[in-house]
Amino acid sequence: MRDRAARTRSGLAAQSSKPASVGDPHVQVSLEQLRAFEGRARALRFLPSQPAASVFNGRHASRLRGRGLNFEELRNYLPGDDPRTIDWKVTARTGKPHVRVYSEERDRPALIIVDQRMSMFFGTRHAMKSVTAAEVAALAAFRILDQGDRVGGIVFGDDFAAEIKPKATARARDQFLSAIARANQMLWADATVVETPTPLNIPLETAAKIARRNHLILVISDFDGIDERTGSLVGRLAKTNDLVLCPVTDPISREIPAGLKLVVSDGNLQIELDTASGETHRSLSEYSSGRLSEVISWQKTYGLPVLPLSCGESTVPQLRRLTGLAPNRKRGRQ
């Protein structure tokens, strides 16, 4: 990504100037914390067959297409063959019915794009958006590898980029989890502000080069800084792949309280916002809801699933709900 391609492929494009020291797991994640999700990922499914209430089910705007097909052979038609597999050109040329035989690909590559920019280092309830994104990515990585598919990903921050090529190995999965933990631990309150944060378009362009076709692509982000180019890239990826968008939001973005005073800073300048002002409250509400609305509109435009995630609740219960699974009461208490 950008001019850091070599460092991206090696797995790390920048190191934090502050040693990682993970305290509250709702603020920062550790590699051990991410590895602990392995057992809880087994109930999730990223295959075409889905529970009735899953957002991946055909009743919704779109569904997962699953693995691709490999052409095996052309042979004579036999009783019981599906007539839809008849190759009419060969049949007309030979005078005898022939069918094309396909087999499902043994595995499918999955690419998980994880946003760990400073805009994700925010949360008013339960956890930071960056933590929720990291946990969702870990759950997906464990489940995808467990169901026999290749897993890899792109982890990016304002000054960080890691690219792990999809492989059906635990080593690739662990490299991916390690990259997430490193990127997450670079987020802290006094971190140096980057003048030009990495736009989401950069990792999407990288994904387009990697995932030519038949990939499962998950984008876990708050979709900060999206533009027309973002929509174009989303459409391009969705055309030949199974693309799933996972917008991560904070509860405050859905309903900004009136009379709330906020101090917003970019690390150099700061300004106080008072939502008691009708105009200020309206502007903030339109900004926060507009971004999510645009992401959800891509669901209809490009026929792709959208999993709206909140950092205001535990990750596993909401993923179970979105994928149509019954709540796990024992786990829910945790």
Side-chain angles (χ1 to χ4, degrees), residues 73-87:
E73 63 174 336
L74 190 66
R75 62 166 173 78
N76 290 329
Y77 177 86
L78 297 174
D81 284 339
D82 189 340
R84 292 175 296 180
T85 63
I86 294 176
D87 189 314

Side-chain angles (χ1 to χ4, degrees), residues 60-78:
H60 296 265
S62 60
R63 59 174 296 165
L64 294 179
R65 290 170 290 189
R67 301 183 177 111
L69 297 176
N70 290 322
F71 174 72
E72 291 289 334
E73 63 174 336
L74 190 66
R75 62 166 173 78
N76 290 329
Y77 177 86
L78 297 174

Side-chain angles (χ1 to χ4, degrees), residues 103-123:
S103 63
E104 187 179 43
E105 291 177 343
R106 292 185 178 181
D107 59 15
R108 177 178 58 163
L111 198 65
I112 307 172
I113 302 174
V114 191
D115 188 347
Q116 293 291 294
R117 294 176 294 177
M118 199 64 188
S119 66
M120 297 286 288
F121 194 62
F122 179 82

Side-chain angles (χ1 to χ4, degrees), residues 295-332:
V295 173
I296 292 177
S297 73
W298 292 336
Q299 181 177 35
K300 182 177 181 180
T301 303
Y302 302 115
L304 52 84
V306 174
L307 272 69
L309 301 165
S310 171
C311 66
E313 61 176 303
S314 298
T315 302
V316 175
Q318 60 179 316
L319 271 182
R320 290 182 63 89
R321 184 175 66 249
L322 288 167
T323 53
L325 298 172
N328 188 323
R329 299 184 183 279
K330 181 177 179 181
R331 292 294 189 183

